[in-house]
Amino acid sequence: SSGINAEYGHPNIDKQAFLEAGIVRMKQAGRPFPLNTNVGVLKWRFQSNDSKDLPLVINCWPSESGRGCDVNIEYELQDTSLELYNVIISIPVSTQGGVGLTVAQCDGSYDHSHGVLQWTVPLVDRSNSSGTLEFTAPGSADSFYPVGVSFNMNSPFCDIRVSGVNAAGSDQSVPYTTECTAFTEQYSIE
């Protein structure tokens, strides 16, 4: 299943107003939010099992050879209007038995320690929408899974935003600021 799931961060939120009209307000208008204080009033989460909903698609192609496995991993940004920051793709890579890791190509940077190869790309956007990591390492094709992916965004992945803020119990508009942070909670390829 996919969609937006709202989690109410403040117990005094009128949940019915949000569900019916998309309005975040207090249950009792006489009890407004505190002024000049950051207050978390609504958290939301987008969940999906459909690969078309993923902002970043990862393809991992391990091919067994006489010297271990040749692995080709690619990323591709599906929605080029997005900007993904601090993209880290983590691949389990063991170098036990004295056979080492050889990286042939890396768009970005990499680090190998504690049995994990971390491929880092600082920014994936329209100008850097795809990239490749190619390496050879010991192991069978199945030993390079699960692949973990993490990234941050400064804009929401879904079309959810604050369109205005009014004083409690009135239609009087008040100044406000918003801050958006989006990040992966769990993204793995198995």
Coordinates of all heavy atoms in Angstrom, one line a residue, residues 81-113:
S81 N 13.1 16.9 -10.6 CA 12.9 18.2 -9.9 C 13.3 18.1 -8.5 O 13.4 19.1 -7.7 CB 11.4 18.5 -9.9 OG 10.6 17.6 -9.1
L82 N 13.7 16.9 -8.0 CA 14.1 16.7 -6.6 C 15.6 16.9 -6.5 O 16.4 16.7 -7.5 CB 13.8 15.2 -6.2 CG 12.3 14.9 -6.1 CD1 12.2 13.4 -5.7 CD2 11.6 15.7 -5.1
E83 N 16.1 17.2 -5.3 CA 17.5 17.3 -5.0 C 17.7 16.4 -3.7 O 17.1 16.7 -2.7 CB 17.9 18.8 -4.7 CG 17.8 19.7 -5.9 CD 18.2 21.1 -5.5 OE1 18.2 21.5 -4.3 OE2 18.6 21.8 -6.5
L84 N 18.5 15.4 -3.9 CA 18.9 14.5 -2.8 C 20.3 14.8 -2.3 O 21.2 14.9 -3.1 CB 18.8 13.0 -3.2 CG 17.5 12.6 -4.0 CD1 17.6 11.1 -4.4 CD2 16.3 12.9 -3.2
Y85 N 20.4 15.0 -1.0 CA 21.7 15.3 -0.4 C 22.2 14.2 0.4 O 21.5 13.4 1.0 CB 21.5 16.5 0.6 CG 21.1 17.8 -0.2 CD1 19.7 18.1 -0.3 CD2 22.0 18.6 -0.7 CE1 19.3 19.2 -0.9 CE2 21.6 19.8 -1.4 CZ 20.3 20.1 -1.5 OH 19.9 21.2 -2.2
N86 N 23.5 14.1 0.5 CA 24.2 13.1 1.3 C 23.7 11.7 1.0 O 23.3 10.9 1.9 CB 24.1 13.4 2.8 CG 24.6 14.7 3.2 OD1 25.6 15.1 2.7 ND2 23.8 15.5 4.0
V87 N 23.7 11.3 -0.3 CA 23.3 10.0 -0.7 C 24.4 9.0 -0.3 O 25.5 9.1 -0.7 CB 23.0 10.0 -2.2 CG1 22.6 8.5 -2.6 CG2 21.9 11.0 -2.6
I88 N 24.0 8.0 0.4 CA 24.9 6.9 0.8 C 24.3 5.6 0.5 O 23.2 5.3 0.9 CB 25.2 7.0 2.3 CG1 25.9 8.3 2.7 CG2 26.2 5.8 2.7 CD1 26.1 8.5 4.2
I89 N 25.0 4.8 -0.3 CA 24.6 3.5 -0.7 C 25.6 2.5 -0.1 O 26.8 2.6 -0.3 CB 24.6 3.3 -2.3 CG1 23.6 4.4 -2.9 CG2 24.2 1.9 -2.7 CD1 23.7 4.5 -4.4
S90 N 25.1 1.6 0.8 CA 25.9 0.7 1.6 C 25.8 -0.7 1.1 O 24.7 -1.2 1.0 CB 25.5 0.8 3.1 OG 25.6 2.1 3.5
I91 N 26.9 -1.3 0.7 CA 26.9 -2.7 0.2 C 27.8 -3.5 1.1 O 28.9 -3.2 1.4 CB 27.5 -2.7 -1.3 CG1 26.8 -1.6 -2.1 CG2 27.5 -4.0 -1.9 CD1 27.7 -0.4 -2.4
P92 N 27.3 -4.7 1.5 CA 28.1 -5.6 2.3 C 29.2 -6.2 1.4 O 28.9 -6.8 0.4 CB 27.2 -6.7 2.8 CG 26.0 -6.6 1.9 CD 25.9 -5.2 1.3
V93 N 30.5 -6.0 1.8 CA 31.6 -6.5 1.0 C 32.6 -7.0 2.0 O 33.3 -6.3 2.7 CB 32.3 -5.4 0.1 CG1 33.5 -5.9 -0.6 CG2 31.3 -4.9 -0.9
S94 N 32.8 -8.3 2.0 CA 33.8 -8.9 2.9 C 35.1 -9.1 2.1 O 35.1 -9.5 0.9 CB 33.3 -10.3 3.3 OG 34.3 -11.0 4.0
T95 N 36.2 -8.9 2.7 CA 37.5 -9.1 2.1 C 38.3 -10.2 2.8 O 39.5 -10.1 2.9 CB 38.3 -7.8 1.9 OG1 38.4 -7.2 3.2 CG2 37.7 -6.8 1.0
Q96 N 37.6 -11.1 3.5 CA 38.3 -12.2 4.2 C 39.0 -13.1 3.2 O 38.6 -13.2 2.1 CB 37.3 -12.9 5.0 CG 36.6 -12.1 6.1 CD 35.6 -12.9 6.9 OE1 35.4 -14.0 6.7 NE2 35.0 -12.2 7.9
G97 N 40.0 -13.7 3.7 CA 40.8 -14.7 2.9 C 41.9 -14.0 2.1 O 42.4 -14.6 1.2
G98 N 42.2 -12.8 2.4 CA 43.3 -12.1 1.7 C 43.0 -11.5 0.4 O 43.8 -10.9 -0.2
V99 N 41.8 -11.8 -0.2 CA 41.4 -11.2 -1.5 C 40.8 -9.9 -1.3 O 39.9 -9.7 -0.5 CB 40.4 -12.1 -2.2 CG1 40.1 -11.6 -3.6 CG2 41.0 -13.5 -2.4
G100 N 41.4 -8.9 -2.0 CA 40.9 -7.5 -1.7 C 39.8 -7.0 -2.6 O 39.3 -7.7 -3.5
L101 N 39.4 -5.8 -2.3 CA 38.4 -5.1 -3.0 C 39.2 -4.2 -4.1 O 40.1 -3.5 -3.7 CB 37.7 -4.2 -2.1 CG 36.8 -3.1 -2.7 CD1 35.6 -3.7 -3.3 CD2 36.3 -2.1 -1.6
T102 N 38.7 -4.2 -5.3 CA 39.3 -3.4 -6.3 C 38.1 -2.6 -7.0 O 37.2 -3.2 -7.5 CB 39.9 -4.2 -7.4 OG1 40.9 -5.1 -6.8 CG2 40.6 -3.4 -8.5
V103 N 38.2 -1.3 -6.8 CA 37.2 -0.4 -7.4 C 37.7 0.1 -8.8 O 38.8 0.7 -8.9 CB 36.9 0.8 -6.5 CG1 35.9 1.8 -7.1 CG2 36.4 0.3 -5.1
A104 N 36.9 -0.2 -9.8 CA 37.3 0.2 -11.2 C 36.7 1.6 -11.5 O 37.3 2.3 -12.3 CB 36.8 -0.8 -12.2
Q105 N 35.5 1.9 -11.0 CA 34.9 3.2 -11.3 C 34.0 3.6 -10.2 O 33.3 2.8 -9.6 CB 34.0 3.1 -12.6 CG 33.3 4.4 -12.9 CD 32.4 4.3 -14.2 OE1 32.5 3.4 -14.9 NE2 31.6 5.3 -14.3
C106 N 34.0 4.9 -9.9 CA 33.2 5.4 -8.8 C 32.8 6.8 -9.1 O 33.7 7.7 -9.1 CB 33.9 5.3 -7.4 SG 32.9 6.0 -6.1
D107 N 31.5 7.1 -9.4 CA 31.0 8.4 -9.5 C 30.6 8.9 -8.1 O 29.6 8.6 -7.6 CB 29.7 8.4 -10.4 CG 30.1 8.0 -11.8 OD1 31.2 8.3 -12.3 OD2 29.2 7.4 -12.5
G108 N 31.5 9.7 -7.5 CA 31.4 10.1 -6.1 C 32.6 9.6 -5.3 O 33.7 9.6 -5.9
S109 N 32.4 9.2 -4.1 CA 33.6 8.7 -3.3 C 33.1 7.4 -2.6 O 31.9 7.1 -2.5 CB 34.0 9.7 -2.3 OG 33.0 10.0 -1.4
Y110 N 34.1 6.7 -2.1 CA 33.8 5.4 -1.4 C 34.7 5.2 -0.2 O 35.8 5.8 -0.1 CB 33.8 4.2 -2.3 CG 35.2 3.8 -2.8 CD1 36.0 2.9 -2.1 CD2 35.7 4.4 -3.9 CE1 37.2 2.6 -2.5 CE2 37.0 4.1 -4.4 CZ 37.7 3.2 -3.7 OH 39.0 2.8 -4.1
D111 N 34.2 4.4 0.7 CA 35.0 4.0 1.9 C 34.7 2.6 2.2 O 33.5 2.2 2.2 CB 34.7 4.9 3.1 CG 35.5 4.5 4.3 OD1 36.8 4.5 4.2 OD2 34.9 4.3 5.3
H112 N 35.7 1.8 2.5 CA 35.4 0.4 2.8 C 36.0 0.1 4.2 O 37.2 0.2 4.5 CB 36.1 -0.6 1.8 CG 35.8 -2.0 2.1 ND1 36.8 -2.9 2.5 CD2 34.7 -2.7 2.1 CE1 36.3 -4.1 2.7 NE2 35.0 -4.0 2.5
S113 N 35.1 -0.2 5.2 CA 35.5 -0.6 6.5 C 34.4 -1.4 7.2 O 33.3 -1.3 6.8 CB 35.8 0.6 7.4 OG 34.7 1.4 7.6

